[in-house]
CSV table of all heavy atoms in Angstrom, one decimal:
chain,number,residue,atom,x,y,z
A,601,ALA,N,-139.0,52.1,-87.9
A,601,ALA,CA,-139.2,52.8,-89.2
A,601,ALA,C,-140.7,52.7,-89.6
A,601,ALA,O,-141.3,51.7,-89.5
A,601,ALA,CB,-138.3,52.3,-90.2
A,602,HIS,N,-141.2,53.8,-90.2
A,602,HIS,CA,-142.5,53.9,-90.7
A,602,HIS,C,-142.5,54.3,-92.2
A,602,HIS,O,-141.6,55.0,-92.6
A,602,HIS,CB,-143.4,54.9,-90.0
A,602,HIS,CG,-143.7,54.6,-88.6
A,602,HIS,ND1,-143.5,53.3,-88.1
A,602,HIS,CD2,-144.2,55.3,-87.6
A,602,HIS,CE1,-143.9,53.3,-86.8
A,602,HIS,NE2,-144.3,54.5,-86.5
A,603,LYS,N,-143.5,53.9,-92.9
A,603,LYS,CA,-143.7,54.3,-94.3
A,603,LYS,C,-145.2,54.6,-94.5
A,603,LYS,O,-146.0,54.3,-93.7
A,603,LYS,CB,-143.3,53.2,-95.3
A,603,LYS,CG,-141.9,53.0,-95.5
A,603,LYS,CD,-141.6,52.0,-96.6
A,603,LYS,CE,-140.1,51.8,-96.8
A,603,LYS,NZ,-139.9,51.0,-97.9
A,604,THR,N,-145.6,55.3,-95.6
A,604,THR,CA,-147.0,55.5,-96.0
A,604,THR,C,-147.3,54.7,-97.1
A,604,THR,O,-146.6,54.6,-98.2
A,604,THR,CB,-147.1,57.0,-96.4
A,604,THR,OG1,-146.7,57.8,-95.3
A,604,THR,CG2,-148.6,57.3,-96.7
A,605,CYS,N,-148.5,53.9,-97.0
A,605,CYS,CA,-149.0,53.0,-98.0
A,605,CYS,C,-149.3,53.8,-99.3
A,605,CYS,O,-150.0,54.9,-99.2
A,605,CYS,CB,-150.1,52.3,-97.5
A,605,CYS,SG,-150.9,51.2,-98.7
A,606,LEU,N,-149.0,53.4,-100.5
A,606,LEU,CA,-149.3,54.1,-101.7
A,606,LEU,C,-150.8,54.0,-102.1
A,606,LEU,O,-151.3,54.8,-102.8
A,606,LEU,CB,-148.4,53.5,-102.8
A,606,LEU,CG,-146.9,53.7,-102.7
A,606,LEU,CD1,-146.2,53.1,-103.9
A,606,LEU,CD2,-146.6,55.2,-102.6
A,607,THR,N,-151.5,53.0,-101.6
A,607,THR,CA,-152.9,52.8,-102.0
A,607,THR,C,-153.8,53.5,-101.0
A,607,THR,O,-154.6,54.3,-101.4
A,607,THR,CB,-153.2,51.3,-102.0
A,607,THR,OG1,-152.4,50.7,-102.9
A,607,THR,CG2,-154.7,51.1,-102.4
A,608,CYS,N,-153.7,53.2,-99.7
A,608,CYS,CA,-154.6,53.8,-98.7
A,608,CYS,C,-154.1,55.0,-98.0
A,608,CYS,O,-154.8,55.7,-97.3
A,608,CYS,CB,-155.0,52.7,-97.7
A,608,CYS,SG,-153.6,52.2,-96.6
A,609,GLU,N,-152.8,55.3,-98.2
A,609,GLU,CA,-152.1,56.4,-97.6
A,609,GLU,C,-152.1,56.4,-96.1
A,609,GLU,O,-152.0,57.5,-95.5
A,609,GLU,CB,-152.7,57.7,-98.2
A,609,GLU,CG,-152.5,57.9,-99.7
A,609,GLU,CD,-153.1,59.1,-100.2
A,609,GLU,OE1,-153.6,60.0,-99.4
A,609,GLU,OE2,-153.0,59.3,-101.4
A,610,LYS,N,-152.2,55.2,-95.5
A,610,LYS,CA,-152.0,55.1,-94.0
A,610,LYS,C,-150.6,54.8,-93.7
A,610,LYS,O,-149.9,54.2,-94.5
A,610,LYS,CB,-152.9,54.0,-93.5
A,610,LYS,CG,-154.4,54.3,-93.6
A,610,LYS,CD,-155.2,53.2,-93.0
A,610,LYS,CE,-156.7,53.6,-93.1
A,610,LYS,NZ,-157.5,52.5,-92.5
A,611,ASP,N,-150.2,55.2,-92.5
A,611,ASP,CA,-148.9,55.0,-92.0
A,611,ASP,C,-148.8,53.5,-91.5
A,611,ASP,O,-149.7,53.0,-90.9
A,611,ASP,CB,-148.6,55.9,-90.8
A,611,ASP,CG,-147.1,56.0,-90.5
A,611,ASP,OD1,-146.3,55.9,-91.4
A,611,ASP,OD2,-146.8,56.1,-89.3
A,612,PHE,N,-147.7,52.8,-91.9
A,612,PHE,CA,-147.4,51.5,-91.4
A,612,PHE,C,-146.0,51.3,-90.9
A,612,PHE,O,-145.1,52.0,-91.4
A,612,PHE,CB,-147.8,50.4,-92.4
A,612,PHE,CG,-147.0,50.4,-93.7
A,612,PHE,CD1,-146.0,49.5,-93.8
A,612,PHE,CD2,-147.3,51.3,-94.7
A,612,PHE,CE1,-145.3,49.5,-95.0
A,612,PHE,CE2,-146.6,51.2,-95.9
A,612,PHE,CZ,-145.6,50.3,-96.0
A,613,ALA,N,-145.8,50.4,-90.0
A,613,ALA,CA,-144.5,50.2,-89.4
A,613,ALA,C,-143.7,49.0,-89.9
A,613,ALA,O,-144.3,48.1,-90.5
A,613,ALA,CB,-144.7,50.1,-87.9
A,614,TRP,N,-142.4,49.0,-89.7
A,614,TRP,CA,-141.5,48.0,-90.1
A,614,TRP,C,-141.9,46.7,-89.4
A,614,TRP,O,-142.4,46.7,-88.3
A,614,TRP,CB,-140.1,48.3,-89.7
A,614,TRP,CG,-139.1,47.3,-90.0
A,614,TRP,CD1,-138.3,47.2,-91.1
A,614,TRP,CD2,-138.6,46.3,-89.1
A,614,TRP,NE1,-137.4,46.2,-91.0
A,614,TRP,CE2,-137.6,45.6,-89.8
A,614,TRP,CE3,-138.9,45.9,-87.8
A,614,TRP,CZ2,-136.9,44.5,-89.2
A,614,TRP,CZ3,-138.3,44.8,-87.3
A,614,TRP,CH2,-137.2,44.2,-88.0
A,615,ARG,N,-141.8,45.5,-90.2
A,615,ARG,CA,-142.1,44.2,-89.6
A,615,ARG,C,-140.9,43.4,-89.7
A,615,ARG,O,-140.1,43.5,-90.7
A,615,ARG,CB,-143.3,43.5,-90.3
A,615,ARG,CG,-144.6,44.2,-90.1
A,615,ARG,CD,-145.7,43.3,-90.7
A,615,ARG,NE,-147.0,44.0,-90.6
A,615,ARG,CZ,-148.0,43.4,-91.1
A,615,ARG,NH1,-148.0,42.3,-91.8
A,615,ARG,NH2,-149.2,44.0,-91.0
A,616,LYS,N,-140.7,42.4,-88.9
A,616,LYS,CA,-139.6,41.5,-88.9
A,616,LYS,C,-139.5,40.8,-90.2
A,616,LYS,O,-138.4,40.6,-90.8
A,616,LYS,CB,-139.6,40.6,-87.7
A,616,LYS,CG,-138.4,39.7,-87.6
A,616,LYS,CD,-138.4,38.9,-86.3
A,616,LYS,CE,-137.2,38.1,-86.1
A,616,LYS,NZ,-137.2,37.3,-84.9
A,617,LYS,N,-140.6,40.4,-90.8
A,617,LYS,CA,-140.6,39.6,-92.0
A,617,LYS,C,-140.1,40.5,-93.2
A,617,LYS,O,-139.7,40.0,-94.3
A,617,LYS,CB,-141.9,39.0,-92.3
A,617,LYS,CG,-143.0,40.0,-92.7
A,617,LYS,CD,-144.3,39.2,-93.0
A,617,LYS,CE,-145.3,40.2,-93.6
A,617,LYS,NZ,-146.5,39.4,-94.0
A,618,TRP,N,-140.1,41.8,-93.0
A,618,TRP,CA,-139.6,42.7,-94.1
A,618,TRP,C,-138.2,43.2,-93.9
A,618,TRP,O,-137.7,44.0,-94.6
A,618,TRP,CB,-140.5,44.0,-94.1
A,618,TRP,CG,-141.9,43.8,-94.6
A,618,TRP,CD1,-142.4,42.8,-95.4
A,618,TRP,CD2,-143.1,44.5,-94.2
A,618,TRP,NE1,-143.7,42.9,-95.6
A,618,TRP,CE2,-144.2,44.0,-94.9
A,618,TRP,CE3,-143.2,45.6,-93.4
A,618,TRP,CZ2,-145.4,44.5,-94.7
A,618,TRP,CZ3,-144.5,46.2,-93.3
A,618,TRP,CH2,-145.6,45.6,-93.9
A,619,ARG,N,-137.5,42.6,-93.0
A,619,ARG,CA,-136.1,43.0,-92.6
A,619,ARG,C,-135.2,43.0,-93.8
A,619,ARG,O,-134.3,43.8,-93.9
A,619,ARG,CB,-135.6,42.3,-91.4
A,619,ARG,CG,-135.3,40.8,-91.7
A,619,ARG,CD,-134.7,40.1,-90.5
A,619,ARG,NE,-134.8,38.7,-90.7
A,619,ARG,CZ,-135.4,37.8,-89.9
A,619,ARG,NH1,-135.8,38.3,-88.7
A,619,ARG,NH2,-135.5,36.6,-90.1
A,620,SER,N,-135.3,42.0,-94.7
A,620,SER,CA,-134.4,41.9,-95.9
A,620,SER,C,-134.9,42.7,-97.1
A,620,SER,O,-134.1,42.9,-98.0
A,620,SER,CB,-134.3,40.4,-96.2
A,620,SER,OG,-135.5,39.9,-96.7
A,621,CYS,N,-136.1,43.2,-97.1
A,621,CYS,CA,-136.6,43.9,-98.3
A,621,CYS,C,-137.4,45.2,-97.9
A,621,CYS,O,-138.2,45.6,-98.7
A,621,CYS,CB,-137.5,43.0,-99.1
A,621,CYS,SG,-138.9,42.4,-98.2
A,622,TRP,N,-137.1,45.8,-96.8
A,622,TRP,CA,-137.8,47.0,-96.4
A,622,TRP,C,-137.8,48.1,-97.4
A,622,TRP,O,-138.8,48.8,-97.6
A,622,TRP,CB,-137.3,47.5,-95.0
A,622,TRP,CG,-137.9,48.7,-94.5
A,622,TRP,CD1,-137.3,49.9,-94.3
A,622,TRP,CD2,-139.3,48.9,-94.1
A,622,TRP,NE1,-138.2,50.8,-93.8
A,622,TRP,CE2,-139.4,50.2,-93.7
A,622,TRP,CE3,-140.4,48.1,-94.1
A,622,TRP,CZ2,-140.6,50.8,-93.2
A,622,TRP,CZ3,-141.6,48.6,-93.7
A,622,TRP,CH2,-141.7,49.9,-93.2
A,623,GLU,N,-136.7,48.3,-98.2
A,623,GLU,CA,-136.6,49.3,-99.2
A,623,GLU,C,-137.6,49.1,-100.3
A,623,GLU,O,-138.1,50.0,-100.9
A,623,GLU,CB,-135.2,49.3,-99.8
A,623,GLU,CG,-134.1,49.7,-98.8
A,623,GLU,CD,-133.7,48.4,-98.0
A,623,GLU,OE1,-133.8,47.3,-98.5
A,623,GLU,OE2,-133.2,48.6,-96.9
A,624,ARG,N,-138.0,47.9,-100.6
A,624,ARG,CA,-138.9,47.5,-101.6
A,624,ARG,C,-140.4,47.5,-101.2
A,624,ARG,O,-141.3,47.4,-102.1
A,624,ARG,CB,-138.6,46.2,-102.3
A,624,ARG,CG,-137.2,46.2,-102.9
A,624,ARG,CD,-136.9,45.0,-103.7
A,624,ARG,NE,-137.2,43.8,-102.9
A,624,ARG,CZ,-136.3,42.9,-102.5
A,624,ARG,NH1,-135.1,43.0,-102.8
A,624,ARG,NH2,-136.7,41.9,-101.7
A,625,VAL,N,-140.7,47.5,-99.9
A,625,VAL,CA,-142.1,47.5,-99.4
A,625,VAL,C,-142.8,48.8,-99.7
A,625,VAL,O,-142.3,49.9,-99.3
A,625,VAL,CB,-142.1,47.2,-97.9
A,625,VAL,CG1,-143.5,47.2,-97.4
A,625,VAL,CG2,-141.5,45.8,-97.6
A,626,LEU,N,-143.9,48.7,-100.4
A,626,LEU,CA,-144.6,49.9,-100.8
A,626,LEU,C,-146.1,50.0,-100.2
A,626,LEU,O,-146.7,51.0,-100.2
A,626,LEU,CB,-144.7,50.0,-102.3
A,626,LEU,CG,-143.4,50.1,-103.0
A,626,LEU,CD1,-143.6,50.0,-104.5
A,626,LEU,CD2,-142.6,51.3,-102.6
A,627,TYR,N,-146.6,48.8,-99.8
A,627,TYR,CA,-148.0,48.7,-99.4
A,627,TYR,C,-148.1,48.1,-98.0
A,627,TYR,O,-147.3,47.3,-97.7
A,627,TYR,CB,-148.8,47.8,-100.4
A,627,TYR,CG,-148.6,48.3,-101.8
A,627,TYR,CD1,-147.7,47.7,-102.7
A,627,TYR,CD2,-149.3,49.4,-102.3
A,627,TYR,CE1,-147.6,48.2,-104.0
A,627,TYR,CE2,-149.2,49.9,-103.6
A,627,TYR,CZ,-148.3,49.3,-104.4
A,627,TYR,OH,-148.1,49.7,-105.7
A,628,CYS,N,-149.1,48.5,-97.3
A,628,CYS,CA,-149.2,48.1,-95.9
A,628,CYS,C,-149.8,46.7,-95.8
A,628,CYS,O,-149.6,46.0,-94.8
A,628,CYS,CB,-150.1,49.0,-95.1
A,628,CYS,SG,-151.8,49.1,-95.7
A,629,SER,N,-150.4,46.2,-96.8
A,629,SER,CA,-151.1,44.9,-96.7
A,629,SER,C,-151.2,44.2,-98.1
A,629,SER,O,-151.0,44.9,-99.2
A,629,SER,CB,-152.5,45.0,-96.1
A,629,SER,OG,-153.3,45.7,-97.0
A,630,GLU,N,-151.5,43.0,-98.1
A,630,GLU,CA,-151.7,42.3,-99.4
A,630,GLU,C,-152.9,42.8,-100.1
A,630,GLU,O,-153.0,42.9,-101.3
A,630,GLU,CB,-152.0,40.8,-99.1
A,630,GLU,CG,-152.0,39.9,-100.3
A,630,GLU,CD,-150.6,39.8,-101.0
A,630,GLU,OE1,-149.6,40.0,-100.4
A,630,GLU,OE2,-150.7,39.6,-102.2
A,631,ARG,N,-153.9,43.2,-99.4
A,631,ARG,CA,-155.1,43.8,-100.0
A,631,ARG,C,-154.8,45.1,-100.7
A,631,ARG,O,-155.3,45.4,-101.8
A,631,ARG,CB,-156.2,44.1,-98.9
A,631,ARG,CG,-157.4,44.7,-99.4
A,631,ARG,CD,-158.4,44.9,-98.3
A,631,ARG,NE,-159.6,45.5,-98.8
A,631,ARG,CZ,-160.7,45.8,-98.0
A,631,ARG,NH1,-160.6,45.5,-96.7
A,631,ARG,NH2,-161.8,46.3,-98.5
A,632,CYS,N,-154.0,46.0,-100.1
A,632,CYS,CA,-153.6,47.2,-100.8
A,632,CYS,C,-152.7,46.9,-102.0
A,632,CYS,O,-152.8,47.6,-103.0
A,632,CYS,CB,-152.8,48.1,-99.8
A,632,CYS,SG,-153.9,49.0,-98.7
A,633,ARG,N,-151.9,45.9,-101.9
A,633,ARG,CA,-151.0,45.6,-103.1
A,633,ARG,C,-151.9,45.1,-104.2
A,633,ARG,O,-151.7,45.5,-105.4
A,633,ARG,CB,-150.0,44.5,-102.7
A,633,ARG,CG,-149.0,44.2,-103.8
A,633,ARG,CD,-148.1,43.0,-103.5
A,633,ARG,NE,-148.9,41.8,-103.4
A,633,ARG,CZ,-149.2,41.1,-104.5
A,633,ARG,NH1,-149.0,41.5,-105.7
A,633,ARG,NH2,-149.9,39.9,-104.3
A,634,ARG,N,-152.9,44.3,-103.9
A,634,ARG,CA,-153.8,43.8,-105.0
A,634,ARG,C,-154.7,44.9,-105.6
A,634,ARG,O,-155.0,44.9,-106.8
A,634,ARG,CB,-154.8,42.8,-104.4
A,634,ARG,CG,-154.1,41.4,-104.3
A,634,ARG,CD,-155.2,40.4,-104.0
A,634,ARG,NE,-154.6,39.4,-103.0
A,634,ARG,CZ,-155.1,39.2,-101.8
A,634,ARG,NH1,-156.2,39.8,-101.4
A,634,ARG,NH2,-154.5,38.3,-101.0
A,635,ASN,N,-155.0,45.9,-104.8
A,635,ASN,CA,-155.9,47.0,-105.3
A,635,ASN,C,-155.1,48.2,-105.8
A,635,ASN,O,-155.7,49.2,-106.1
A,635,ASN,CB,-156.8,47.5,-104.1
A,635,ASN,CG,-157.8,46.5,-103.7
A,635,ASN,OD1,-158.3,45.7,-104.6
A,635,ASN,ND2,-158.1,46.4,-102.5
A,636,LYS,N,-153.8,48.0,-106.0
A,636,LYS,CA,-153.0,49.2,-106.5
A,636,LYS,C,-153.4,49.6,-107.9
A,636,LYS,O,-153.4,50.8,-108.2
A,636,LYS,CB,-151.5,48.8,-106.5
A,636,LYS,CG,-151.1,47.7,-107.5
A,636,LYS,CD,-149.7,47.3,-107.4
A,636,LYS,CE,-149.4,46.2,-108.2
A,636,LYS,NZ,-148.0,45.7,-108.0
A,637,LYS,N,-153.9,48.7,-108.8
A,637,LYS,CA,-154.3,49.0,-110.1
A,637,LYS,C,-155.6,49.9,-110.1
A,637,LYS,O,-155.7,50.8,-110.8
A,637,LYS,CB,-154.5,47.8,-111.0
A,637,LYS,CG,-153.2,47.1,-111.2
A,637,LYS,CD,-153.4,45.8,-112.0
A,637,LYS,CE,-152.1,45.0,-112.2
A,637,LYS,NZ,-152.3,43.8,-112.8
A,638,VAL,N,-156.4,49.5,-109.1
A,638,VAL,CA,-157.7,50.3,-109.0
A,638,VAL,C,-157.4,51.7,-108.6
A,638,VAL,O,-157.9,52.7,-109.1
A,638,VAL,CB,-158.6,49.6,-108.0
A,638,VAL,CG1,-159.8,50.5,-107.7
A,638,VAL,CG2,-159.0,48.2,-108.5
A,639,ALA,N,-156.5,51.9,-107.6
A,639,ALA,CA,-156.1,53.2,-107.1
A,639,ALA,C,-155.4,54.0,-108.2
A,639,ALA,O,-155.7,55.2,-108.4
A,639,ALA,CB,-155.2,53.1,-105.9
């Protein structure tokens, strides 16, 4: 499965560490999550 990051708008893929919370994942990285307010 793939999603688009809300901050950088790049496509990112499912990761094993996200298996229990994939529905809640919105950002491709910690950096994008931190910069969400700036965007």
Side-chain angles (χ1 to χ4, degrees):
H602 291 347
K603 287 187 178 184
T604 302
C605 178
L606 295 178
T607 302
C608 67
E609 298 181 359
K610 290 184 180 178
D611 193 39
F612 64 98
W614 179 89
R615 292 185 184 178
K616 189 174 181 180
K617 71 177 188 176
W618 291 333
R619 66 179 166 232
S620 63
C621 62
W622 178 243
E623 299 81 26
R624 296 186 313 245
V625 175
L626 301 175
Y627 306 100
C628 64
S629 65
E630 190 66 25
R631 181 179 181 179
C632 280
R633 188 186 66 78
R634 281 190 218 118
N635 291 328
K636 66 184 174 187
K637 293 178 184 175
V638 173

